[in-house]
Every structure is written in structure tokens, then in C-alpha cells.
Amino acid sequence: MSDLLYNNQHIYLFVALFLLFCGIAGVVYRRTLIGMLVSMELIMNGAGLNLVALNRFVSPENGYGIAFTLIIMGIAAAEAAIALGIIMLIFKKYKHIESGELKEMKD
Amino acid sequence: MNVGEIIFLITVVVTLGGAAMAVLSGSIVYAMMGLVTTMFGIAGLYIYLESPFLSMMQILIYVGAVSVLIAFAVMLIGPLYRKPKEWTTIGKFAAALGVALVSLFMFVRFVMETFPRAVTPSFKITTKEIGRLLLNDLVLPFELISLLLVVAILGAIMLALFSRGNK
């Protein structure tokens, strides 16, 4: 039972670690603000997967990891709404969303 | 290797490929599609972690709400092809890879040192128990998340009003 491939917790943890890797690389590498936001969502997905995997394999008697993953989903939704509002505002003011050319946010 | 393991491997490959596509693709629309692919893959991994409620919530919130929000922003924000491919310099790519590799090597050791315990096949956290947990032990984070959502909605409305007033 325990030698099945999907009962190996290291696979889940390495998938979450690869998501963190891709997210950090994307935040540095991406040119536009929406690309950076997409990378932030990757990081949050990795955090949720990490919590659920550790809840499943380390302490399976309670469900704290699942509850906190639900809370992470709510935080990600709120963050996406606020960030996209700010991005729309920046686009209306500067007509571009290039992150390298934004020198100031106050006019 | 039975059918479940093959489907699990396909799910893992879809997740990793979606994440790589979300970072490396040149177009922002393809990056969003990669993000959606990753979210579906993680929903599949949640099913393998025996929490199907969380998988449905993942599809409902991330794929249904956050991705549609990003798609609306991509559609509303004007032409993104004005400066094509200028940003793919070798130096920036190397810097991003360096920063990400530092974080990767910081956590690889942590992952390798978490030894697996004996797998308990009876991991049955039902929706009822999650609800009881959210309203008994975790009632303060639960209320704080509702407060955060209200503040986020009000903030988004205020941003929209400011942008109208500047015109």
C-alpha cells in the first residue's frame, strides 16, 4: 500500500518546490506586471500543495493544512483583485505596464 | 505500475509543464494558459492527496475566479506587443535563474530531510470536519479572511473611482 508512487510525499514536496522555483524566477524575469502576478499565483499554489501534502503525510489526524489552504485561496483571490485594480490604474495613467519603466507611483 | 500511478505521473508532468510555460512563454496569454494548466494539475494532485473537497475548491476559486480575473485584465489592458522580445536578454535570464536556484537549494535540503512516516491509508478529513475546524479552532483566521475580502472589495471599488475622477 505504501510503496505506491502517489503515496510518496517527496514527489509532492518537490512539485511544490518546483512551483516556488518557477514563481521566483518569473517574478524576476517577467517584464509586465501581469506576468509577475501570474508568478505570484504559482508561488501561492505551491504553498497550498505543500500544506496539504504535509497534512496528509505528517499529521493525518486533523485537518489544519486543508483549512489553511482554503484561507490561502481567499488571500490569493483578494490579492489578485487588488493587484489587478492597481495595474488597471497604472495602465490608465502611463499607457503601459512595463515594470522596468515605472519610476514613481505618485504624480 | 498500475493505472493510478500512470495517471499520477501524467498529472505531475502537466503541473510542471504548466508552471514552466507560465514562466517561459513570450506571450502573456500563453502564460495565463500555463497558469490554468498548473491549477488543474494541482487539483488532480489534491485528489491523490485524498481531499476532493479542496480539489473542487481549487477549480472553483483559482480556475473559475482568479484566472478569469487575469483574463479580463489582459483583455482590458491594451496592446502588449508594442515592444516585442526586447526583454529576453541573457543577463536578465541568468539573474532570474540565479535568484531562483538559490531559493531552490535553500529548500532542497529541508525537503530531503523530512523523512516519511508510515502512511496511514485512512486519511478521511471530510467536509464536515473542515467546517467544524473553521468554526471552532480557526474562527479568528476565518473571520479575518472575511474582513480581508471586504477590505479588498472596497479597495478595488475605490481604485476604480479614483481612476474615473482623474479623467
Side-chain angles (χ1 to χ4, degrees):
Chain A
M1 183 66 195
S2 74
D3 56 348
L4 286 175
L5 195 58
Y6 47 83
N7 281 333
N8 186 4
Q9 71 169 349
H10 282 153
I11 294 180
Y12 298 98
L13 295 183
F14 273 117
V15 169
L17 191 59
F18 183 77
L19 288 183
L20 175 75
F21 171 74
C22 281
I24 292 178
V27 169
V28 181
Y29 180 54
R30 276 287 174 192
R31 186 177 53 118
T32 60
L33 293 175
I34 294 183
M36 296 166 78
L37 184 69
V38 166
S39 303
M40 293 296 297
E41 295 294 333
L42 278 183
I43 294 177
M44 287 205 167
N45 271 301
L49 181 62
N50 216 339
L51 280 179
V52 179
L54 289 177
N55 188 8
R56 162 81 175 83
F57 291 110
V58 175
S59 76
E61 60 270 4
N62 53 23
Y64 284 104
I66 292 177
F68 272 102
T69 306
L70 287 173
I71 289 174
I72 284 178
M73 285 180 190
I75 291 176
E79 173 233 348
I82 287 295
L84 289 174
I86 293 176
I87 289 172
M88 300 289 295
L89 207 62
I90 289 174
F91 179 73
K92 280 190 178 177
K93 192 180 281 291
Y94 293 104
K95 303 296 176 198
H96 65 80
I97 49 169
E98 317 281 324
S99 60
E101 297 178 7
L102 293 174
K103 299 293 193 300
E104 55 186 10
M105 290 187 74
K106 189 183 170 201
D107 220 16
Chain B
M1 179 176 282
N2 55 5
V3 183
E5 286 177 311
I6 294 173
I7 298 176
F8 175 71
L9 277 183
I10 292 173
T11 312
V12 168
V13 168
V14 161
T15 309
L16 299 183
M21 182 176 159
V23 172
L24 292 178
S25 71
S27 168
I28 199 74
V29 180
Y30 288 159
M32 195 195 69
M33 286 300 157
L35 183 68
V36 171
T37 311
T38 307
M39 285 163 179
F40 270 116
I42 288 181
L45 289 182
Y46 283 162
I47 288 181
Y48 275 103
L49 285 168
E50 299 182 28
S51 48
F53 171 71
L54 202 57
S55 167
M56 291 304 124
M57 279 300 118
Q58 170 91 9
I59 293 177
L60 201 67
I61 295 175
Y62 273 120
V63 182
V66 175
S67 300
V68 172
L69 206 61
I70 294 174
F72 269 120
V74 170
M75 284 189 283
L76 282 174
I77 285 172
L80 293 172
Y81 48 83
R82 203 174 288 155
K83 291 183 191 170
K85 303 289 181 187
E86 177 224 320
W87 50 287
T88 54
T89 60
I90 298 295
K92 194 168 182 183
F93 185 73
L97 205 61
V99 171
L101 277 178
V102 167
S103 69
L104 186 70
F105 288 138
M106 275 172 63
F107 287 106
V108 159
R109 188 177 169 84
F110 167 70
V111 171
M112 292 306 287
E113 283 181 353
T114 51
F115 295 114
R117 289 166 100 199
V119 176
T120 56
S122 65
F123 179 67
K124 299 291 182 206
I125 302 294
T126 59
T127 313
K128 189 176 170 183
E129 294 175 33
I130 297 171
R132 287 190 186 281
L133 198 62
L134 279 177
L135 288 181
N136 285 329
D137 290 344
L138 300 176
V139 65
L140 182 62
F142 184 69
E143 296 298 330
L144 279 181
I145 197 72
S146 55
L147 182 68
L148 177 73
L149 282 173
V150 170
V151 170
I153 291 169
L154 290 180
I157 292 172
M158 285 304 289
L159 286 174
L161 285 183
F162 277 148
S163 74
R164 176 172 296 177
N166 273 339
K167 244 189 227 174

